[in-house]
Amino acid sequence: MADRWEPDAFKARVDEVLREFVTREADEFAAVDPTLGAVAERLEAAVVDGKRLRAAFCYWGWRAVGQPDSDTLVRAAASMELVHAAAIVHDDLIDDSALRHGRPTAHVALRAAVGVRPDADAAARSLAMLVGDLLMALAGQLFATSGLPAAYLVRARPLWAVMARELIAGECLEILRTGAEPDTETSLKVIRYKTAKYTVEQPLLIGGALAGAGARLREGYSAYGLPLGEAFQLRDDLLGLFGDPGHTGKANADDVRGRRPTALLAETWRLADDGERESLHTLLGRDDPDGKGLDAVREVMRRLGAPDRVEGMIRARVEEALGALHELDLPTHAANGLTALAHSAAVRLS
């Protein structure tokens, strides 16, 4: 790959790695018994879509140290996408989300494989949980067999435990805070651990560790990665409620219906008076088959200016990330690549 950042070309490289690796693993899984075919299909389906941002951050964490383009590094970076695929399967299961990228989520798709039985829904959810577990295991396998020198892999391997711990901590925090009184600082902590770290910071640090990055560069990666990862999730929160489902591929009532601790809801709650809070309390979490309650929540949020507040939070974090990036004195191609990625992460329709 030339030093000029070509995201489509990079995505194609990562897609090819994932397709070949996961297809082979799914075939071996299905060979155990014919009844496992539907589960194997969900492994393959889990990696069909994606912007490959996490792989890209890992790639530039490597390149920014001065390392050249490398197919083996791309294989290692692709493992970040399997971590993401595992997190998505588990997240959809926890949130009981029916759609992802416009298609049924794993636990919904696996319902047909279970057949007619009293515990069919629970069984399908259990199968989906195991699909997510296997995807996480496969992520480690792809990383370890990427072809990079063992000494490089040893430098980065401890960061995997950190990434898993922080990701799961974030998921647990979200579960524990769901339904509680909204609070902006708490919401930001949730997204920092649930999304920001494994989306931007840890892939950068892993790429840097593989390349032998020094302490100052690693600190710079965190100073850039954390605010940018938060901006990514704040954008996701806005798209989740105000975005076009045709672009996002997700049902836009999920966060409101589940009373999840998003910063958007927390800012709305902070700005609301007692009457507006009472109205929100009535609207949130209720069955809303015609969508009128969701429209009412949106109207309250717009009237209070909460979406604009979140947009401001996104802008501030992108500026903070780019400021940290400019302090690092990186090679021009790496600085350009990471700048372009910052805009891709924070300004998007899906």
Side-chain angles (χ1 to χ4, degrees):
M1 179 179 287
D3 284 342
R4 184 169 61 86
W5 177 231
E6 299 176 355
D8 290 342
F10 179 79
K11 181 181 183 306
R13 294 172 74 186
V14 174
D15 286 347
E16 182 178 5
V17 170
L18 292 173
R19 183 170 55 251
E20 291 180 356
F21 177 77
V22 175
T23 296
R24 182 172 63 252
E25 292 294 331
D27 287 346
E28 292 185 8
F29 182 83
V32 173
D33 188 277
T35 60
L36 294 174
V39 182
E41 288 176 6
R42 300 323 303 168
L43 290 172
E44 295 185 79
V47 297
V48 168
D49 299 293
K51 303 173 188 66
R52 311 313 185 200
L53 287 175
R54 292 157 186 84
F57 283 117
C58 184
Y59 175 85
W60 284 113
W62 163 274
R63 293 296 308 275
V65 182
Q67 294 281 11
D69 179 69
S70 161
D71 287 338
T72 53
L73 186 279
V74 171
R75 282 183 60 80
S79 67
M80 302 292 102
E81 297 300 327
L82 288 174
V83 173
H84 178 52
I88 288 297
V89 171
H90 285 151
D91 198 47
D92 288 340
L93 185 60
I94 292 166
D95 294 343
D96 199 23
S97 297
L99 289 176
R100 173 75 62 170
H101 298 298
R103 290 188 289 276
T105 50
H107 63 282
V108 174
L110 285 165
R111 177 62 181 78
V114 175
V116 179
R117 49 191 271 192
D119 65 340
D121 288 341
R125 295 175 69 85
S126 296
L127 289 174
M129 177 184 67
L130 294 169
V131 167
D133 292 346
L134 183 51
L135 285 165
M136 185 64 84
L138 292 178
Q141 181 183 344
L142 178 58
F143 184 80
T145 60
S146 61
L148 287 170
Y152 290 22
L153 297 172
V154 167
R155 290 196 295 249
R157 200 65 181 90
L159 293 174
W160 278 72
V162 177
M163 179 168 58
R165 179 174 66 243
E166 292 176 340
L167 170 58
I168 293 170
E171 287 281 10
C172 290
L173 282 173
E174 182 178 64
I175 292 169
L176 292 168
R177 291 298 304 179
T178 291
E181 181 169 312
D183 174 76
T184 300
E185 285 304 311
T186 297
S187 296
L188 290 172
K189 188 171 189 178
V190 169
I191 68 173
R192 186 175 307 130
Y193 282 90
K194 181 189 170 186
T195 303
K197 284 177 167 286
Y198 98 91
T199 297
V200 185
E201 184 196 27
Q202 286 299 337
L204 273 170
L205 289 172
I206 287 171
L210 289 169
R216 182 176 181 277
L217 186 54
R218 294 195 305 271
E219 290 172 1
Y221 283 171
S222 292
Y224 163 89
L226 276 174
L228 182 57
E230 291 178 7
F232 175 88
Q233 184 57 44
L234 289 168
R235 174 64 62 203
D236 211 54
D237 290 347
L238 281 176
L239 290 171
L241 189 55
F242 292 96
D244 179 356
H247 289 296
T248 65
K250 296 184 287 186
N252 57 8
D254 284 356
D255 286 346
V256 170
R257 185 189 65 195
R259 295 194 65 177
R260 293 177 197 134
T262 66
L264 177 60
L265 178 58
E267 281 297 285
T268 302
W269 193 263
R270 185 181 66 80
L271 295 165
D273 60 25
D274 289 343
E276 288 161 333
R277 287 185 176 186
E278 184 176 351
S279 176
L280 284 168
H281 185 74
T282 300
L283 292 167
L284 293 173
R286 78 177 191 183
D287 187 30
D288 185 27
D290 59 6
K292 291 182 179 179
L294 184 62
D295 289 339
V297 171
R298 288 194 189 99
E299 177 54 35
V300 172
M301 288 178 168
R302 289 192 184 100
R303 186 172 68 249
L304 293 172
D308 292 335
R309 290 278 305 173
V310 174
E311 287 284 2
M313 294 163 71
I314 292 170
R315 286 193 299 273
R317 282 160 174 77
V318 172
E319 290 173 5
E320 181 182 349
L322 292 177
L325 182 64
H326 294 153
E327 292 292 320
L328 290 177
D329 192 26
L330 299 179
T332 300
H333 61 277
N336 290 342
L338 289 169
T339 299
L341 279 174
H343 292 296
S344 296
V347 182
R348 55 196 170 88
L349 297 177
S350 63

